[in-house]
Structures are given as C-alpha cells and as structure tokens.
Amino acid sequence: MSDGNERNQDGNNTPSQGGEQTRSSRLSLRPAGRQEVGRTVDAGSVRQSFSHGRSKVVQVEVRKPKRNATGPGAGAAARGGRAGGRALTAAELAARQRALELQRKAAAEEAARREEEKIQIMSAAEAARRAAEEERLISEQKAAEIAALKESEQQAAREQAAAEAAARAAEQAAAEAAAREAEEAARSAPLDPRSHSTGGVQLAAPVQRLRPLAERAIMPPRPVQPSRPAAAAAPARNNETLHLRSGAAAGGDDERRPAPRRSGPGAPPAPARRPSAPSRKGGGSDRRSGRIDVRAAIEGDDDKTRSLASVRRQRDRERRQAELERLRSDQVRVVRDVIVPETITVAELANRMASRQGEVIKALMKMGVMATAAQSIDGDTAELVVEEFGHRIKRVSESDVEIGIEGLEDSADELLPRAPVVTVMGHVDHGKTSLLDALRTTDVAASEAGGITQHIGAYQITAPSGKKITFIDTPGHEAFTSMRARGASVTDIVVLVVAADDGVMPQTIEAIKHAKAANAPIIVAINKIDKPGANPNRVRQELLSHEIVVEEMGGDTQDVEVSALKRTGLDKLEECILLQSEMLDLRANPDRVAEGVVIESRLDRGRGPVAAVLVQKGTLRRGDILVAGSEWGRVRAVLDDRGRQLKDAGPSMPVEVLGLTGVPGAGEPFVVVENDARAREISEFRQRKIKEKEAASQVAARGTLDQMLARIQAGVQKEVALLIKADVQGSAEAISTTVQKLAHEEVAVRVLNASVGQITESDIQLAKASNAIIVAFNVRATTQARELAQREGVDIRYYSIIYQVADDVEQLVKGKVAPKHREKFLGYAEIRQVFNITKTGKVAGCYVTEGLVKRGCGVRLLRDNVVIHEGELSQLKRFKDDVKEVARGYECGLSFAGYNDLREGDVVECYEMEVIPA
C-alpha cells in the first residue's frame, strides 16, 4: 500500500480497481461515482524515523464525521460535478467577486468590533479580575492549610494502620510457619502400620501440587504510594496493575517484534483497550509534548501553541493600550516640570512635555511663530508654550554652571588675622622696584631691561616685628595701565612712590585715580631724598591739587621720606603699613577652599603654563583642582617668590602654581572646585563665551554693509597686521593695547594674536598667510621657526623695551599712509583775442596778468568770475614756438584739451598739484 502511495505521489497515472484511468491522482478503493463530500475515512501512509537509525512505514486511517451537502446549490454542484462542470459567465464572476468583497468587509468590521468589545471588557473587568484573583489566592491559601492539616492527620492514621497491619502480618506469618512445620513433620514421619494397614502395603505421602513458574516468579504485592497529589483524586483500585512499559516503549517493542495477525479460532482474544491516562498538566490536550503525533502529521497541524506568558504579555499590552486610549478620550493631562534652556528646538520641547510635535507647532502658529520641529526657539517663547499646555516651567541658563563655585560667606568666628596686601605704584623711574629691593634685600631692578619694570611681581617679607607683609610691584610705564589697575583692585593698601626731585608725573596721577577707584588707603613714600635737588615739600604741595592731603598739612594721608639707595626710612614705612593694616582689621578664613586672583601668567619652556596667584581666601594645597579664568588643572607644585616648594599657601600669600592646561588671563579670578568634571564644564563654558565675543568683535570690525561697499569703492583699506608674542600675559596685553592706539584713519592696526611663549612654526605660518609682522617681546623663535621664517620671508622683530615697539609700529603705520595732494596756484591769464585755426580748433591769445603759465598744468576757465570749465592745458606757444612756461607781462597762445567755447574777456586760472608726504 505504501509503495502504491509513493507511486501516486510521484504523479504517475495508475489504473484503479474499476479499470478507469485518473488524472494525477493517487490510488483509491473508493468507487468512481462516489461523491467527495461523503468521504469519512482518509487513508495514507507515514514513514517514521527513530533516533537509533531505523524507520518504518505505518498505515494511517483518519475517520471524520460524515457531512452531507445541504442547500440548494449542493445538488446542483453534485449534478454539475457528474455532468462535467460548466464555466461561469462574466456577470456571475463579477457578482461572485462583489459578494466576496462584501463578505471580507463584513468580516473585517466584525473583527474590529470584537476587538473593541474585547478591550472594553478587559478594561472594565480588570478590577473585578484583580479582586477575584486576591480572593482566589486567599481561598487557596486557606485550602492549602486545611489540606496540610488533613494530610498530617491521614499520615498519622496511615502510619498507625501500617504498624497494626505489620504486626498482624507477622503473627499470621508465624502461625503459618508453625503450621507448615507441623505438616512437614507429619509428612516426613513413617506410617504407623497399626493404624494404616492396607493389606500389608505402606502408602506414600500425597504428592504436593507443583505451582507454575509464572506464579512462583510473581513478587508479593506491595502498596503503591502516589507520587503526586493529583493521583490521590483518582479512585483507588485494589487490583491496580503496575504497567512497566509506556506507549512509546510499547510501540518500539512492537516495531522490533511485530506480532502476526491470526484470525483463526485458536487465536487469543484481543486485549481490551485501556483508557488513556489523564495529562499531568492542566493545559489540556492542545499543548504539545514535543513528540510527533500521527494525526497532526497528516492534517498538518503541528505548529506550537502560544505560551501562557505570551498570552499574559499580550493582555497587558492590550490593557495598557486601552488605558492610554481612555486617558486620551477623557483628556486627562499630567502636569510635568519642564526644564527650558535659553534656546530649545521644537521637537525637544514637545518631547519634554510628552506632547505631539504637531500640537506644539499649532500652538506656535497661533502665537504667530512659524517654526518646524528642527528649528530652535528662544526661552521666552518656549515658556509661553509650556504655560499654555498647563505644565510647570523651570528656566535654566548656560551660566548656571558657575553658580555656587564661590562658596558661602564666612562667619565672624571663622575669620583669623591675615597679612596686608600692599601695591607699590608710581611714575616710571621713580624707584618703586629699588624700594622693594631694599625691603627684600634683593636686586630685581638690575635684571629689568632698560632699568624699568615691565612685569608685575608679588613678594612677601617678614618685618622685624615678625609680622608679614605682601607687596605687589606694578610697572610705571604708561603702556601698563591694565597692570596698575589689576594691582589696585586686589590690594588693601597703596604705597604711592614719588621722586623728590621729579614731583608728580602723569603716571603718578593715574595711580592716584586707580587707588581712589579701588577705595584703598594711600601711603605716600617720597623717594630719592638723598639727591641734591630733592624737595619733599614741593611734592606735598603738588599732591594737594589731586586731593591728597598729608598729615603734615592737616590731612589723614601718611607720608614717609625714604631713600632706597641709602636704605633710610624703611623701618618707618613698615610701621606705617602695619598701623594702617591694624586699622583696617584684615581677616580671612583659612579653613575653606581657596579663592584668589591671577596676578601674572607665562608659558615656561620646561615647566609649562605658570601662573602667579594671590590667595585671598582659604588655603591652596598641592593636588587641588583649580579653575583660573578659562583654564583649569590640578595643582602639581606650589612655589613661593624665591622658588621654594610649599605644601600649601594661606590667605594673602603670593605663590606660583604649576599644572594648568593653559595660560590663564592676567587678572582672572581662580577658585578650587570639588572634581575635574565640574572644572572642565566651567572651563568649556568660559572658552565658548570668549570665542563668541571674539566672533562678535570681528563682525563689528567689518562694519555695516554700507561701510563695506564704501571701502570696496574706495579700494582695499590698508592695514598693519601684527602677531605679538611676549614672555608674560600682562606684557602681551599691554603691547596689544599700545599698538592699537597707533591706528590711522587710512591704515588700521590689526593684532592677529597676542599670546605668551616662544615663537613656533605655527606662528610663522599664520604670519605668512596674513602678511603680518611678528613682534617678539623678551622671547625668541625656535630653530625650526627661524629657518621657516627665512625661507618664507616673514619679518620677526625682537624687543625688550616696550616704547621701542610703539615707535616701530608708528613708523610702519606712517609708511603706509597715502601721501597728500595739494593744489598750488600758478597765475592768471586774460584772453584778448580768439583765433580759429584749421585742424587745431580755437586758440586763445592771452596776456599773463599774474604769476606764470606752465605747459601741462591744470586750468580753470572763468567767465564773470564763474568757473565754466576745468581741464588741462594742451598747448602753450609764444609766437610760433612751443615753450614750457610764460611769465607775467608776456603774451602767449593757449589751447585747451577738448574744449573750444572761448570768448574774449574770459580769465584763465592756472594751477598744479604737488605731493605732500604724510
């Protein structure tokens, strides 16, 4: 049969039992005229393969209930099938298609309706389900407790019954053993001839029945304990037989030993079919056990069913979707805290409000703002949108990263006395640095180029009394105004040094203004009193004009006469400083994070960025994370003014700090923060602000569109481009300020970059691209940069005194200023007669009344003292000869280039243009 099926599956035509040929059909025992509708048995063969490599073919028959065709179309279909069938017309096909479409639409609508009903039922019955679940759990818990109690009682009863049964069995076994022994003894004893005499023959003992081997092999019965509680629910049977072989094992055994079918009368009766055991799990017969079912293999229904967890997840999703739809339908809004920065995109704003982008765009359109989802809006507009949607707004700014870095205010109990910070100010070459050298017993002035101070320095000395004083030395040159301003802003006391032989000078007046702006007390130190022409009283009188009244003249300003060279009056100056500091009661808290200001900064070749800082609050320790301006770093070393290593620095102590990522700006405040992430965030914010400010200044320098067009029409504006490299930040700042003041209305001075450190190859390339001059102040170029500058033709100028820089830049600016053209009057000539000459035009016969007339000069034709023509003189003749000039009192012939409207009585004014250098 299986071979026939395989041949039928190949599609070969095979004769059936009725002798008829079928088209591509398998062999069948069904009569040819039988309808397909009436089939109740499907027969086929299935090849099964096993894990040990063997396989077999099993014939399978599936019985199905008989379904008779009903309806008016059934008979017609049957008749049509017997008659061979009829093709449908176009109208019938169209009607059938419409009916199918309507049926599909109806099915889709019905499915949608059922889905909605399912969601409503699930959402409505969720609470009831939860309550029922809780009640079920409680009832199950109680039932489990009761079952456990009953089980314990039954266990005790079973143990007692088992003990009693064992005792009875033991007694019975002993009695049976005794009986058997007595019986055996009786059998083995010889017969008494007196009592059993049968004609003189002795009878043997009766033969005991021999039990069959199968009966002797059966083990004595034992009570079978159920392994699961579910087995206890089934009715117990006393004659229950233990089956040692399952269905799969039996099938495999049958495969190995196929039993022959005997139909004779001597064949044993077939065993009764036992009912199948119930499933161990409560999922029903739909859940697959992993083995292949024959019926499923034939019908093709071998897909695995969904798990309970998958069904639960689907129900949870449907429930959440129903809740969301209910919230949307009821318009229930959740009030959120929306964080809005200075600028935000529409998409991000909608995301933070958990709203649709279309709704946010619609709200903006109502406000008159047309913006897409990717465009940014300002914080004020975003605030209006958030308030319209009913949320709470929280405005933030980029500058919020700097909030809280200064720390809290110190209480009066935490403040301790600190050393005063004294700034020495005055005019250039009045002896400020020499005075500090005398106090520190050092010689800093000898190392300064030109004998003038061009750096700001900070030192700390110890007075004979044991108290410490911090001095800040500022330059006196007019270019270092910003340094003097920084020194005055961080100081407690200002010492104004005035030379007794020179008096009050411009930078002295500037220093007085800086001290008054900083609201710092002033102590006047009249220096150089040892010189022959010294006059301290003249200095005191000149100070009166600037509202500085010393104590000798009834004022409150202390003055001291000192000599830095002879070292006289220094102890009195120290006493005045300490007295003033006691009156100010200077205090600070050393037990807090350090805060202060950057006095000066530079780029050292071996140590990297070095910043000279003044600690104002707290204590700066090695290893602290420092933020100074737009730079940050971890403090690697702390050095004092003499280069000695320190572990920490307290208030009013000037130190040098190593370990910053870059050179901070002079005058920038510094603060210690808790971690490097906070320091990096603050530094990036400040650097971004600096870049935005530079970009804005460049845009402002380009001017408006009208100014740009005017420059284009007039020609490219001339400029002097400079790249400044200095040893310290303060010097670079001062040079940049000085050269920008030298700009001319025709020539601009543009500073490409003002930084510290040696000249590198990148500086040379920048100067080459911008056609700039490199100004090197107390720095030198590297070997590679020097060779590159020689190849590229870049001009590097080295300076050590700042006024030399100003002089050279001024000469550069003047060299690019265009020379001036000035008109020079030559004379007048009166037209006496006009001649008309062929091929030449009109020629004026003139008489020179004043000055002279030159050939090729500029002329103006005056008629009734009104200029009617301005041009050039083309020909100048006297008689028939061409001449260069005609003096006063002589006659000449004049011809004008491109003009012939000449009349007698007109006056010719002659002039020429001369060039005046700038």
Side-chain angles (χ1 to χ4, degrees), residues 44-94:
S45 61
V46 176
R47 181 178 297 275
Q48 293 184 346
S49 298
F50 299 92
S51 59
H52 47 74
R54 298 187 59 182
S55 63
K56 71 173 184 177
V57 178
V58 181
Q59 183 179 358
V60 182
E61 292 184 355
V62 180
R63 298 182 180 275
K64 295 190 292 186
K66 186 174 182 179
R67 296 185 297 271
N68 295 325
T70 58
R79 290 190 298 273
R82 287 190 297 267
R86 178 181 61 86
L88 298 177
T89 62
E92 291 175 348
L93 288 175

Side-chain angles (χ1 to χ4, degrees), residues 116-185:
E116 292 179 358
E117 291 179 356
K118 180 179 179 182
I119 292 174
Q120 293 176 359
I121 292 171
M122 289 177 63
S123 59
E126 183 65 23
R129 187 187 65 79
R130 292 179 181 175
E133 185 71 18
E134 293 178 358
E135 293 179 359
R136 185 182 64 78
L137 291 176
I138 295 172
S139 61
E140 286 181 357
Q141 186 177 3
K142 292 181 179 179
E145 294 176 356
I146 295 172
L149 182 60
K150 290 182 178 181
E151 182 67 23
S152 60
E153 294 177 356
Q154 292 177 2
Q155 184 68 21
R158 283 196 298 269
E159 290 177 357
Q160 185 178 1
E164 294 176 357
R168 288 194 299 269
E171 293 176 358
Q172 186 177 359
E176 290 178 357
R180 282 196 301 270
E181 289 176 358
E183 187 179 354
E184 291 292 335

Side-chain angles (χ1 to χ4, degrees), residues 6 41 67 90 206 232 253 259 364 387 396 509 531 663 735 767 772 814 819 860 907:
E6 290 175 358
V41 177
R67 296 185 297 271
D253 193 31
L364 289 172
E387 291 178 353
V396 295
I509 300 172
K531 282 194 172 184
V663 180
I735 294 172
K814 289 182 178 179
R860 294 188 184 94
V907 179

Side-chain angles (χ1 to χ4, degrees), residues 790-810:
Q790 292 176 357
R791 290 196 305 268
E792 300 292 342
V794 177
D795 187 9
I796 303 177
R797 302 191 181 187
Y798 299 97
Y799 302 94
S800 58
I801 303 176
I802 191 169
Y803 52 75
Q804 294 178 354
V805 180
D807 295 341
D808 285 1
V809 173
E810 186 177 2

Side-chain angles (χ1 to χ4, degrees), residues 422-445:
V422 181
T423 300
V424 181
M425 305 176 70
H427 192 70
V428 62
D429 200 22
H430 274 202
K432 299 181 297 298
T433 307
S434 300
L435 183 60
L436 278 178
D437 290 341
L439 292 171
R440 299 175 62 240
T441 64
T442 57
D443 193 8
V444 176

Side-chain angles (χ1 to χ4, degrees), residues 850-866:
E850 184 179 351
L852 55 88
V853 177
K854 288 185 178 181
R855 184 175 59 186
C857 67
V859 293
R860 294 188 184 94
L861 186 61
L862 305 180
R863 185 174 295 169
D864 297 333
N865 292 327
V866 177

